[in-house]
Amino acid sequence: MEILIDVLLIIVGVAVVLWGADRLTEGSVSIASKIGVSQMVIGLTVVALGTSMPEFCVSFMSALKGTADMAVGNVVGSNVFNAMLIVGVAAMVAPMCVMRQTVRKDLVFAVAASVVMGALVFDNEISRADAVILASLFLLFMWITIKGAKMDNLVTDMTGTFADDHSDSGNSDQSVSSTWKGIMWIVLGLAALVGGSNVFVDSASSLAIAFNVPDAVVGLTIVAGGTSMPELATSVVAARKGNSGIAIGNVIGSNVFNILFVVGLTGIVCPMTVSGINWIDLAVMIGSMLLLWLFAYTKLTISRREGAVLTALFVAYMAWLIVQSA
């Protein structure tokens, strides 16, 4: 009966976390669009932050509760999930076009972030100094992304926004109402993320103990899959609608956020000793980003065939984890 309750609570936790991420993303995009932000920048920042909040909340709560393996395993597993399964499925739904600037800058930064985390975790510890390094790189990434946004697109979008806002007083009132609605969704979304992730971590840990499954494996599989659902839904829907910029930007941004923001901020508050994440898991995380960069670099497109390759490799990795934990 206790196991059944844990399973039900995990489902409830995932549902609440997904709802919260959806509301947070909706509110953030609504507010960001008013100041005129390009599709790629929205994917790399606002959408990536919104869809990465489940990873942050779950990893932060895990670290505070003393399950560092689940906290770091969640990030490693989520990044593998993002780079392989999410991009793979999205590309099979509709081939994804990638901007040259994304290949030369954003993907390179994502690969570098993966390598840095792999090097820092290799000694089985995320110290406060390690976390400060990651957090500093996150601030650098945000600065580069915002600075690199094309000014002509920004001016064009803002001009259109101002024209709409000042066309009549009715539109102005509607804009104010929309802004407050966006803020309300952000607050509700954050509350749902914190509450849902707390329930999720407690139930997942209890279930792992019941079946003698290591925290790291739970983090790499169940927790990573659950917290990556917002990215999967966002990228697949965006790819289907032809918004490749948001789809690929969401994945790249989420992976950078997971490593630099999630592990960085969590490690600053609560330094972690990691024992269950081995060099193979770190190599898969780094290799998945390198493979994604290679596929994008060749023809600036991730084809359906390349999407199938990424998905197959993800399934193989999950099967290996299950066999190892058996």
Side-chain angles (χ1 to χ4, degrees):
M1 181 60 69
E2 290 181 1
I3 292 176
L4 179 60
I5 292 175
D6 285 332
V7 172
L8 291 175
L9 287 176
I10 286 176
I11 295 173
V12 170
V14 169
V16 173
V17 165
L18 294 180
W19 184 87
D22 190 37
R23 298 290 79 76
L24 178 62
T25 302
E26 180 182 334
S28 300
V29 171
S30 174
I31 293 177
S33 63
K34 293 183 180 300
I35 61 174
V37 181
S38 70
Q39 187 182 97
M40 190 64 194
V41 173
I42 288 177
L44 282 168
T45 56
V46 179
V47 178
L49 175 61
T51 56
S52 290
M53 286 309 294
E55 283 88 349
F56 171 70
C57 291
V58 169
S59 290
F60 190 75
M61 292 295 182
S62 296
L64 291 180
K65 294 175 183 295
T67 53
D69 281 347
M70 188 178 295
V72 178
N74 174 37
V75 169
V76 174
S78 292
N79 280 20
V80 171
F81 194 100
N82 291 347
M84 289 187 173
L85 185 65
I86 292 178
V87 174
V89 172
M92 286 191 291
V93 170
M96 303 171 68
C97 297
V98 185
M99 293 168 51
R100 190 177 301 275
Q101 181 183 5
T102 301
V103 174
R104 292 180 175 178
K105 186 189 68 174
D106 303 317
L107 271 170
V108 171
F109 201 103
V111 172
S114 301
V115 172
V116 170
M117 179 176 170
L120 294 178
V121 179
F122 200 74
D123 63 351
N124 297 325
E125 183 181 6
I126 293 290
S127 65
R128 189 164 277 115
D130 294 338
V132 169
I133 292 174
L134 294 174
S136 300
L137 289 175
F138 171 73
L139 294 177
L140 176 63
F141 172 74
M142 292 300 296
W143 180 78
I144 292 174
T145 300
I146 295 173
K147 185 175 181 294
K150 294 183 178 180
M151 292 302 298
D152 54 343
N153 287 342
L154 181 59
V155 171
T156 300
D157 291 342
M158 289 185 70
T159 301
T161 300
F162 290 146
D164 291 340
D165 287 345
H166 293 285
S167 59
D168 56 65
S169 60
N171 286 344
S172 179
D173 292 340
Q174 185 178 3
S175 177
V176 173
S177 175
S178 178
T179 300
W180 278 109
K181 183 178 179 181
I183 294 174
M184 180 192 70
W185 283 134
I186 289 175
V187 174
L188 287 176
L190 285 171
L193 283 169
V194 173
S197 62
N198 202 2
V199 172
F200 188 96
V201 171
D202 286 342
S203 302
S205 300
S206 177
L207 204 60
I209 294 173
F211 286 97
N212 294 319
V213 178
D215 286 336
V217 175
V218 175
L220 287 165
T221 54
I222 299 174
V223 178
T227 57
S228 291
M229 286 301 156
E231 285 93 336
L232 178 61
T234 302
S235 292
V236 170
V237 170
R240 187 175 181 181
K241 292 182 177 179
N243 299 321
S244 296
I246 287 181
I248 192 70
N250 175 38
V251 169
I252 298 171
S254 292
N255 278 20
V256 173
F257 272 63
N258 288 347
I259 293 173
L260 304 183
F261 177 75
V262 175
V263 179
L265 188 55
T266 301
I268 289 175
V269 176
C270 181
M272 297 173 283
T273 299
V274 185
S275 58
I277 306 298
N278 57 41
W279 67 269
I280 296 178
D281 301 316
L282 297 174
V284 171
M285 179 186 68
I286 296 170
S288 65
M289 286 308 303
L290 281 171
L291 191 59
L292 178 58
W293 175 83
L294 179 63
F295 284 163
Y297 180 81
T298 51
K299 297 180 180 179
L300 296 179
T301 302
I302 301 175
S303 65
R304 284 191 171 91
R305 180 178 298 178
E306 291 168 338
V309 171
L310 290 170
T311 304
L313 289 174
F314 174 80
V315 172
Y317 175 60
M318 288 296 106
W320 180 82
L321 284 176
I322 294 171
V323 170
Q324 289 296 111
S325 64

